[in-house]
Amino acid sequence: MNKSDLIFKLSPHLISYRANRWFGYKNINPITLTFSVTAACQSKCKTYQIGQMFYDDPSRPKLDMTIDEIEKVFKSMKPMYFFNISGGEPFLRKDLPQIIELGCKYLKPRVIHIPTNAIQTGKIARDTREMVKIIRSYDPTVPFTIKPSIDGVGEKHDEIRGAKGNFKALLKTIDELKIIEAEYDNFHLELGTVISNFNVDSLDDIEDFVHTLGIESYRNEVAEQRTEFFNIGDPITPDAAIYRSLIRNFSKKVEENISKKRTLAKTTEALRIVYYDIAGKILETNTQVIPCYAGVSNVHINYNGDVWPCCVLGYDKKMGNLRDYNYDFQKLWKSDKANEVRKYIRNKSCACPLANQAYSNILMHIPSLFKATAKTIKYSRN
């Protein structure tokens, strides 16, 4: 799906969200679902404490919603444009392909995305191939992306991710996913980096290394303190001035490599540069630079059935739990509690550079959308 098609299909939602922001939220439906399918994770990242929580309390994954519970929830939801899987480590779910099939059946997404720590190379490759086939059986035009994490090169990556041998497994996983990417035109491999105080001095090395691998799409986002990650108070977020200097380098590298990339990748890179600028301003001002539509355009379902406006507010501002609502998403979504959380966000009581939400906010903000469109046209000409 190209950018113009996406805007055309989403335009009724974009107009509705902007109107609802001022006149009260009624009959709105999110366009983006992020679903944390499990609490389990093998990593003990310096930036996240999810893995450590899993090792401290191995019973936590027992709270994961079952496949039957997930089907009840998805059946109660309306179609989504973006379907993002999250974790923990998503590929630790034995039934991950079945979750994707339920998503295709009930949510009818136009884009599907899954991140991974890339440790379980064999299972990741097998599940990915199965999921590609499932998605194509519903609609072969739906883009499906797997995003392994790379937070350093060599031992640096293992140190930050807290998993010995992770970098070696990452390279094997990339090779396996490249094979699948060559076979299916709707499957895309991309890499992602979490920018933290642990790797700010080696980001050039990471991005240069990514380009040597021939990866077209590469994303990064700022490490944040989130209740989801149990890292409140951890000194992980880079200084705003440092991040600003990094933005200039990132943008320059995008310009240098853009001519080799496909149309979809060029559109992604255009949004990426606009996001960098907004994220830098948020870190500097600690306020919402553009209006945030968390809990309106986007929704996050946690592994245990909690519904959040976003993963940053997470446990602190949950809208409710699906198990308490008999798995009826619409009832929870329209509840008084959900509207209270939306009011909190609309009043700019919070601000963060969360990438997933920021991209939706950009679509809702005419000046930012115009910038991204102009850059896409420029890159396409190049």
Side-chain angles (χ1 to χ4, degrees):
M1 180 186 297
N2 61 41
K3 192 179 183 68
S4 59
D5 289 340
L6 177 63
I7 299 303
F8 176 76
K9 289 179 180 294
L10 293 182
S11 56
H13 292 279
L14 307 186
I15 295 170
S16 173
Y17 293 153
R18 290 173 65 84
N20 271 279
R21 183 175 179 83
W22 301 111
F23 299 110
Y25 297 111
K26 296 180 180 179
N27 298 321
I28 54 172
N29 190 58
I31 56 175
T32 300
L33 167 64
T34 299
F35 179 23
S36 294
V37 295
T38 183
C41 187
Q42 317 98 311
S43 305
K44 295 183 180 180
C45 300
K46 288 187 174 182
T47 52
Y48 309 149
Q49 300 301 324
I50 293 178
Q52 187 61 56
M53 292 289 291
F54 168 61
Y55 281 100
D56 290 345
D57 182 8
S59 67
R60 291 182 76 242
K62 293 181 181 179
L63 298 175
D64 294 351
M65 285 197 293
T66 66
I67 197 70
D68 291 337
E69 289 179 301
I70 293 169
E71 181 168 18
K72 290 178 184 177
V73 172
F74 285 2
K75 284 178 70 174
S76 74
M77 302 180 77
K78 295 181 180 180
M80 297 281 171
Y81 283 94
F82 305 100
F83 182 29
N84 300 319
I85 295 293
S86 184
E89 167 53 31
F91 285 91
L92 285 177
R93 286 271 321 211
K94 295 179 180 179
D95 54 3
L96 184 58
Q98 286 69 49
I99 293 174
I100 293 299
E101 181 157 24
L102 291 176
C104 291
K105 180 179 180 180
Y106 297 111
L107 306 179
K108 299 176 174 56
R110 303 306 305 158
V111 179
I112 301 175
H113 173 78
I114 305 177
T116 177
N117 59 23
I119 291 176
Q120 293 180 296
T121 299
K123 185 175 189 302
I124 292 169
R126 290 190 301 273
D127 281 3
T128 297
R129 189 175 293 278
E130 183 178 352
M131 289 186 288
V132 171
K133 292 177 180 178
I134 289 170
I135 293 166
R136 291 178 69 86
S137 71
Y138 282 88
D139 188 341
T141 67
V142 171
F144 173 41
T145 303
I146 299 291
K147 185 186 73 174
S149 296
I150 177 168
D151 289 347
V153 178
E155 292 182 1
K156 183 74 171 179
H157 177 76
D158 293 359
E159 177 189 344
I160 294 173
R161 303 293 297 187
K164 189 175 182 180
N166 195 162
F167 187 75
K168 185 177 180 180
L170 169 65
L171 297 183
K172 289 181 179 179
T173 300
I174 290 172
D175 287 342
E176 291 293 329
L177 294 178
K178 275 186 172 181
I179 295 172
I180 299 174
E181 187 176 41
E183 295 176 7
Y184 299 99
D185 59 2
N186 70 314
F187 176 70
H188 307 283
L189 166 64
E190 69 177 30
L191 294 180
T193 297
V194 175
I195 302 172
S196 69
N197 286 326
F198 305 113
N199 62 7
V200 288
D201 296 328
S202 55
L203 291 173
D204 280 343
D205 294 338
I206 297 172
E207 187 150 11
D208 288 342
F209 180 76
V210 169
H211 287 303
T212 66
L213 297 173
I215 306 296
E216 285 199 351
S217 183
Y218 171 65
R219 297 192 205 181
N220 49 52
E221 59 181 294
V222 185
E224 300 173 82
Q225 295 181 19
R226 307 180 189 174
T227 61
E228 176 198 22
F229 295 150
F230 305 97
N231 62 359
I232 302 300
D234 292 354
I236 59 176
T237 307
D239 179 83
I242 294 175
Y243 184 73
R244 275 294 191 183
S245 68
L246 294 173
I247 288 172
R248 289 191 288 272
N249 291 334
F250 294 152
S251 299
K252 182 180 178 181
K253 287 183 182 292
V254 168
E255 299 279 358
E256 290 173 352
N257 293 280
I258 199 68
S259 62
K260 311 167 190 174
K261 301 187 178 185
R262 292 174 290 182
T263 302
L264 179 63
K266 289 177 180 178
T267 300
T268 302
E269 298 290 54
L271 284 168
R272 172 186 168 198
I273 289 182
V274 174
Y275 160 71
Y276 287 157
D277 184 51
I278 292 172
K281 290 177 181 177
I282 292 173
L283 289 177
E284 287 176 349
T285 63
N286 195 31
T287 189
Q288 291 181 21
V289 174
I290 63 176
C292 181
Y293 291 84
V296 180
S297 65
N298 292 35
V299 65
H300 190 122
I301 297 179
N302 201 23
Y303 64 91
N304 63 350
D306 280 349
V307 175
W308 302 339
C310 66
C311 59
V312 174
L313 294 178
Y315 294 101
D316 282 349
K317 293 292 177 182
K318 76 174 184 178
M319 296 170 147
N321 186 283
L322 288 160
R323 286 166 170 158
D324 296 334
Y325 283 79
N326 197 28
Y327 309 102
D328 187 338
F329 175 82
Q330 294 300 331
K331 189 174 181 180
L332 186 156
W333 185 245
K334 296 174 183 177
S335 67
D336 291 341
K337 178 62 176 178
N339 283 327
E340 287 177 16
V341 174
R342 294 186 185 104
K343 184 177 180 180
Y344 176 88
I345 297 168
R346 185 183 62 203
N347 290 340
K348 297 186 176 182
S349 301
C350 57
C352 74
L354 176 64
N356 185 31
Q357 182 62 52
Y359 288 119
S360 294
N361 294 343
I362 288 169
L363 293 177
M364 243 74 69
H365 188 244
I366 301 301
S368 297
L369 182 59
F370 179 80
K371 287 181 183 179
T373 302
K375 289 183 181 296
T376 300
I377 294 171
K378 174 185 175 182
Y379 296 156
S380 296
R381 287 175 178 171
N382 290 340

